[in-house]
Amino acid sequence: MNESIKRSFSMKKPKFTERFPLLDIMLTCMTIVLVLCFGYFLFVFLNSSTSATSSLSVTDTIPSTIDEIESSFSGIKIVTEISNDLNAPFAIQYPQSKHIQFNDEVKKYIKTLKYNYLTDIAAYKQNHQTFPSELNISFETFEHNGIYSFVIVKNEYIGDNEGEISIHTFRLNPDTGDRITIEHVFDYHLQHLLEISQLTEERLYQDEALINHLLPEQVAIHTQPIWENFQNFALAENEIIFYFEYNKLANSEAGIPIVAIPYQTINPLLTEFLQALIVEEKTEKPNTAQSAINQQEATKNKEIRNNNVEHEEIPKQKRVALTFDDGPDPKVTTRILETLERYDAKATFFMLGSRVEYYPEIAKSVHEAGHELGNHSWTHPDLTKANNDKIASEIDRTTTIIEEVTGQKPEIFRPPYGAFNDNVLNLTDLSMILWDVDTLDWKHRNASQLLSYVKQNTRDGSIILMHDIHTSTADGLDAVLAYLAENDFQFVTISELSE
């Protein structure tokens, strides 16, 4: 029995008693490759996680103050975040609504800008010990037929790098939370898109401030009848505004190319509810800012007439008041001061208290150069939506810091956005100052267009609004001063204008 079993086992030998050496080599190589790949991906994952966590922690640990206030647009709040951190200062404003999805989209965009700013600072810091840097994000709100358009403007500079500017828009139906796209505006009609494409290209070449800076091949690409080319737009009161990317279809000297097309020009192309609104908008709305200017002019003219009675033999010289808002800024304000000095021109600077606190030496240099200092609030909120304590704090804190830093107590006040009411007026003894020439430098960021607006609108006694936080304003100021000087305008401060 045992022998038969042995024989049986001996008859069941496997076909291969040993493997080929080549197979062992292949299996070994495959194992090594798999181990190496796993190790590589593990390293990448851990490194990226650490980097993300580190960046997030840096962002979260930067000291900042966050304020939220109602805007003048129903259902919209303005969030303001300011950091005076020595390594990464920033001033950020963005809109929020009652709609979570919209809020998340805006916050995500703002967070991305902030993250990129901090990342750029970290990269620049590898080769530089100390350097100035700043991130400014502000926004403008337009309303058309119940639809809000938010135009978010970013201005960033780090060290000696060329400043970065961008404009990004969001549209919202505040009642439903729906976001409005360019397809909605033109009813998804491709023929309408083609006509808008052609009209936009024509207007770009008709713009005298852009014509010498356009890049024809890029213009053709970015104005093709593709919906995506026209998604960055705003529905303003009387026109649709298209914003194109900086340094894309025009060189950097052109700033951000902007094309505005009145609704009446494209009435047949618009979706029905926009066409109906055109009729409603034929009645002009009162301009609160201009009304206040007229009141100031009436008072000023009365004083001038009294002076003329006493000094009839002295011919009256044309005068203009240059004003700069939202500073001080270490780069732009300094350049503006240098340009003003070349023309022996005095101006008025309406400063934000939060920026005076961070840049006291710049504020002091403005005062020492003989310019007038004005109060522009602490954080640039819409004061018509603030309670009494908030209004008083915004104004009083700014007055205090300006006086502490410069020794000059401001006697004039310009409300953020030019927005004020009786409540704001009653809570300050400072004289309210607005403007009658808006250069829109915050919007176009174009040095050439700065002069264009001044030429079209400036007259004797004008108050010109500019901002000393935009590089393009500093770039274009020399041409503005040269033009005004050639046309016999005398540069005066706001207080001198009232004399």
Side-chain angles (χ1 to χ4, degrees), residues 208-399:
E208 294 181 0
L210 290 176
I211 185 65
N212 295 324
H213 304 292
L214 293 173
L215 308 173
E217 291 184 2
Q218 293 301 314
V219 171
I221 292 173
H222 293 284
T223 59
Q224 287 182 4
I226 301 172
W227 292 117
E228 189 60 32
N229 279 341
F230 300 91
Q231 290 292 0
N232 203 25
F233 71 96
L235 296 169
E237 185 177 10
N238 298 305
E239 59 193 3
I240 184 170
I241 306 172
F242 295 105
Y243 303 92
F244 293 93
E245 194 171 346
Y246 174 72
N247 208 19
K248 284 291 185 182
L249 54 75
N251 60 36
S252 59
E253 295 179 9
I256 295 180
I258 298 173
V259 173
I261 304 176
Y263 294 132
Q264 291 178 336
T265 303
I266 54 175
N267 185 42
L269 310 182
L270 298 171
T271 193
E272 187 175 353
F273 78 90
L274 289 175
Q275 291 182 6
L277 188 62
I278 291 175
V279 178
E280 297 174 11
E281 289 185 340
K282 288 183 179 178
T283 300
E284 294 186 359
K285 297 181 179 179
N287 187 325
T288 303
Q290 188 60 49
S291 297
I293 285 291
N294 292 339
Q295 293 175 4
Q296 293 173 12
E297 289 293 328
T299 302
K300 182 177 61 179
N301 290 337
K302 181 179 179 181
E303 294 171 354
I304 291 174
R305 283 195 297 270
N306 290 339
N307 288 338
N308 286 340
V309 171
E310 298 176 5
H311 308 284
E312 293 181 0
E313 73 282 0
I314 301 177
K316 177 177 172 293
Q317 183 177 3
K318 293 187 297 184
R319 300 191 298 174
V320 63
L322 306 174
T323 67
F324 299 91
D325 287 10
D326 296 352
D329 179 270
K331 278 192 171 182
V332 180
T333 304
T334 300
R335 288 186 56 197
I336 286 174
L337 290 178
E338 292 171 353
T339 303
L340 292 171
E341 184 178 10
R342 286 199 297 272
Y343 288 85
D344 193 25
K346 300 306 177 188
T348 303
F349 291 77
F350 289 95
M351 298 183 172
L352 293 176
S354 58
R355 297 179 67 83
V356 174
E357 182 182 53
Y358 189 68
Y359 299 118
E361 293 304 318
I362 305 300
K364 191 182 299 182
S365 66
V366 174
H367 170 62
E368 291 174 348
H371 303 289
E372 185 170 13
L373 307 185
N375 185 320
H376 197 42
S377 81
W378 189 268
T379 61
H380 207 279
D382 182 346
L383 295 178
T384 63
K385 297 296 181 180
N387 59 39
N388 289 356
D389 290 341
K390 174 67 174 176
I391 295 172
S393 175
E394 285 281 335
I395 299 174
D396 294 345
R397 285 183 69 191
T398 302
T399 293

Side-chain angles (χ1 to χ4, degrees), residues 1-107:
M1 183 69 175
N2 292 337
E3 291 182 1
S4 64
I5 293 175
K6 290 179 180 180
R7 285 196 299 270
S8 174
F9 276 112
S10 65
M11 293 173 62
K12 296 180 180 180
K13 291 181 180 179
K15 292 182 180 180
F16 302 103
T17 57
E18 60 180 13
R19 294 180 298 188
F20 290 115
L22 180 60
L23 181 60
D24 286 336
I25 294 173
M26 292 176 63
L27 290 173
T28 301
C29 290
M30 290 176 64
T31 302
I32 293 173
V33 170
L34 289 172
V35 170
L36 290 175
C37 288
F38 176 78
Y40 171 76
F41 286 115
L42 180 62
F43 171 78
V44 170
F45 172 77
L46 291 175
N47 188 57
S48 61
S49 298
T50 302
S51 177
T53 303
S54 175
S55 298
L56 182 61
S57 62
V58 169
T59 303
D60 292 343
T61 56
I62 291 178
S64 64
T65 58
I66 300 178
D67 187 32
E68 186 176 284
I69 189 172
E70 294 288 341
S71 76
S72 57
F73 295 87
S74 178
I76 300 300
K77 294 183 177 181
I78 300 174
V79 178
T80 302
E81 182 178 4
I82 294 178
S83 171
N84 288 334
D85 183 80
L86 292 175
N87 297 313
F90 58 78
I92 300 172
Q93 286 189 326
Y94 58 90
Q96 291 286 268
S97 71
K98 63 181 180 181
H99 302 287
I100 296 176
Q101 188 173 351
F102 169 81
N103 293 346
D104 289 344
E105 289 177 4
V106 173
K107 286 180 179 177

